[in-house]
Amino acid sequence: MKRLLLVLILCCANTLFSQKRVTDTITSAKLNEAREITISLPPSYSKNTAQKYPLLVLLDGDFLLDPFQGALNYGYYWDDLPEVIIVAITQNKNNEREADCATDATNGLPDEKGEQFFEFIGMELIPYIQKNYRIAPFKMIAGLDTTAGFLNCYLYKDNPVFDAYISLSPELPAGMEEQIPDRLSAIQKPIFYYQATADGDVKSMKTRIQAMDEGIKTVTNPMLNYLYEDFKGASHYSLVLHAIPSALYQIFSVYQPISTTEFQEKIAPLTSGYVDYLIKKYDMLEKALGLKVQIRLNDFKAIEAAILKNKAYNEFDLLAQLARKNYPKTMLADYEMGQLYEKTGDIKRAVKSYQTAFQQQEVGDLTKDMMLERADELKKSLPKPGKKGQNEPVVEETPQTEVAPTDPPTEAAPVENATPAETPTPTEEKK
């Protein structure tokens, strides 16, 4: 099943989306040479001209670009992963990767051309991409073995340029298994860190990777989001196809729509604050990833379900306000208000809200027919206006005391066959 999924992911890379690739060359003053890069732009890049995208820098871009792009495309399709700008650095064209990743044998810091390459990425490549493309603040970097070990050097900075690190079976420079846990303990910004190995990995490398993992697991820094995986039945190279989706889903877990598990474990048990939960979820997405994302319709439906389940009907008002902000020209806001009035027994206003919704644009599974059906069904429970005197409450009037007129009326004719009690009595004349 896993192998089938991996094949599907790679197939999706070229069929589900039209991903634009641009090959560019940067003349580097740090390297004193020109370096080739491949820039992969998201499918929506040319349409959503105001949208900014997270940046993923790939070392070993020659062979890591396709598997990363395939996994991301698959995630785009299900709206589980955000669209990302990928910058893949060519390092195998002239066998540059070993020289690019040179480190000092004693302290493990970038050395010789490794130092130049380190500065090229931070001081030339990233500013170039920021100047020419719409980049969100959130930046990631990934590599395999030699390049995976090298990318950890960015964590030695007090304010690392990258926010997320994907280290696939890293070949660690000297002392790194002790130094990286210390750095992750001290860092004062949110950091996502993923590393992987496999039971078929190179033994000498795996031993040091596991030692670093043990050190990182003792870190209590709340800023750190860490995941380590050891894949069974995988080799040093095949672990890449297992690890890439896992790493991306770890990093972008906050981006994913509300799942059944999240609903059951985090939302449904709440006694109130369902709309507030939704607002905080998307605020966290903007804060953590720098992404301003429209609240998904399915997430509206999840909160709606929680409100109905817990009979917190007054929260429909807050949900309607949020809907009006996110989907201002659609029927969503009036639909939510209709539910508020319907569930609180204000049938007339519920009917009016559904009728108003009918006049707005359809959205998701909300249709004009649905709004009319709801309004018509509720009308049946309203009192029907009938003929005069029908379906009207009987009001008993209080008897009024008869007041004698000032002038006596004309004497009334006697009533034929009337008994004395039935004969009208004239009013006594004034003296």
Side-chain angles (χ1 to χ4, degrees):
M1 182 63 185
K2 288 184 178 179
R3 291 182 179 178
L4 179 60
L5 177 59
L6 293 173
V7 172
L8 178 60
I9 288 173
L10 294 177
C11 289
C12 288
N14 294 320
T15 57
L16 294 180
F17 290 91
S18 177
Q19 193 93 4
K20 182 180 178 182
R21 288 189 181 185
V22 178
T23 300
D24 200 352
T25 301
I26 298 180
T27 301
S28 169
K30 295 293 181 181
L31 294 171
N32 195 28
E33 64 185 26
R35 292 304 293 263
E36 182 180 279
I37 60 173
T38 300
I39 303 163
S40 179
L41 298 176
S44 69
Y45 189 83
S46 60
K47 296 179 181 178
N48 298 340
T49 55
Q51 180 68 44
K52 294 184 177 181
Y53 301 86
L55 172 65
L56 171 60
V57 174
L58 292 180
L59 309 182
D60 285 323
D62 315 71
F63 56 81
L64 286 182
L65 176 56
D66 283 336
F68 266 97
Q69 185 172 290
L72 284 165
N73 281 348
Y74 185 80
Y76 302 160
Y77 182 82
W78 299 109
D79 197 24
D80 275 349
L81 300 174
E83 292 182 300
V84 170
I85 291 177
I86 305 174
V87 175
I89 304 174
T90 301
Q91 290 185 274
N92 285 316
K93 189 173 184 179
N94 298 309
N95 298 317
E96 296 104 333
R97 72 191 303 261
E98 295 295 334
D100 285 346
C101 300
T103 56
D104 186 273
T106 303
N107 58 30
L109 297 176
D111 189 26
E112 299 179 352
K113 191 179 180 182
E115 183 178 3
Q116 298 169 3
F117 184 69
F118 182 90
E119 293 179 347
F120 159 72
I121 292 175
M123 301 173 68
E124 294 181 325
L125 175 65
I126 291 179
Y128 176 83
I129 298 300
Q130 288 174 324
K131 180 180 178 180
N132 292 282
Y133 299 94
R134 299 191 305 275
I135 304 297
F138 192 76
K139 303 177 188 68
M140 303 167 284
I141 188 168
L144 173 67
D145 52 52
T146 301
T147 58
F150 183 82
L151 64 81
N152 287 314
C153 294
Y154 288 98
L155 289 168
Y156 292 153
K157 293 283 189 179
D158 290 334
N159 184 26
V161 65
F162 294 103
D163 306 280
Y165 300 76
I166 302 175
S167 180
L168 306 175
S169 185
E171 185 175 0
L172 300 173
M176 190 166 277
E177 60 265 50
E178 293 87 19
Q179 294 166 358
I180 291 300
D182 290 342
R183 293 301 307 145
L184 292 175
S185 296
I187 285 176
Q188 297 300 309
K189 63 177 286 187
I191 290 292
F192 293 84
Y193 191 85
Y194 176 91
Q195 69 171 340
T197 185
D199 57 6
D201 210 342
V202 180
K203 296 299 182 184
S204 59
M205 292 170 54
K206 184 173 181 179
T207 299
R208 297 185 64 203
I209 294 169
Q210 290 174 329
M212 188 166 77
D213 170 59
E214 292 299 322
I216 297 176
K217 285 178 179 176
T218 65
V219 174
T220 58
N221 189 346
M223 295 290 183
L224 176 63
N225 184 318
Y226 173 65
L227 178 61
Y228 167 75
E229 290 186 294
D230 185 4
F231 293 101
K232 306 302 178 185
S235 68
H236 175 72
Y237 295 107
S238 67
L239 71 84
V240 170
L241 293 180
H242 294 275
I244 288 175
S246 187
L248 292 172
Y249 272 82
Q250 175 221 359
I251 293 168
F252 292 120
S253 61
V254 67
Y255 176 86
Q256 295 163 29
I258 294 173
S259 63
T260 301
T261 301
E262 183 180 359
F263 179 84
Q264 293 176 344
E265 295 182 357
K266 296 183 179 181
I267 300 175
L270 295 174
T271 56
S272 63
Y274 306 103
V275 177
D276 190 50
Y277 179 96
L278 184 60
I279 293 172
K280 287 180 178 178
K281 178 181 175 72
Y282 280 81
D283 284 347
M284 186 185 303
L285 174 59
E286 183 175 4
K287 183 178 180 181
L289 304 180
L291 294 176
K292 185 70 174 177
V293 178
Q294 183 183 41
I295 297 178
R296 301 173 179 89
L297 288 170
N298 282 344
D299 288 351
F300 269 99
K301 291 180 70 67
I303 298 304
E304 176 187 321
I307 292 172
L308 293 171
K309 178 180 176 66
N310 294 282
K311 300 181 179 179
Y313 303 133
N314 288 334
E315 291 212 24
F316 274 123
D317 189 6
L318 298 174
L319 195 61
Q321 293 177 36
L322 200 60
R324 209 170 297 282
K325 181 179 179 180
N326 282 265
Y327 297 90
K329 297 181 180 181
T330 73
M331 59 179 61
L332 183 60
D334 291 301
Y335 166 72
E336 303 295 2
M337 290 303 296
Q339 294 209 88
L340 167 64
Y341 296 133
E342 180 180 350
K343 294 301 180 181
T344 55
D346 194 341
I347 304 303
K348 286 186 177 180
R349 295 178 77 178
V351 169
K352 185 176 180 181
S353 290
Y354 290 135
Q355 289 174 335
T356 302
F358 169 80
Q359 301 172 24
Q360 307 298 322
Q361 293 179 9
E362 295 182 344
V363 61
D365 60 355
L366 302 181
T367 65
K368 292 180 180 292
D369 287 343
M370 178 182 174
M371 297 304 114
L372 280 183
E373 289 171 4
R374 287 214 171 201
D376 290 343
E377 188 64 28
L378 289 175
K379 284 179 184 179
K380 296 177 182 178
S381 62
L382 292 172
K384 296 180 180 179
K387 294 180 180 180
K388 187 175 182 180
Q390 294 181 353
N391 299 322
E392 296 181 0
V394 178
V395 180
E396 294 185 2
E397 297 182 357
T398 305
Q400 301 293 322
T401 304
E402 186 176 348
V403 180
T406 303
D407 298 321
T410 303
E411 185 176 351
V415 180
E416 186 176 359
N417 298 325
T419 61
E422 296 174 323
T423 304
T425 304
T427 305
E428 184 179 359
E429 292 181 0
K430 293 182 181 179
K431 295 182 180 180

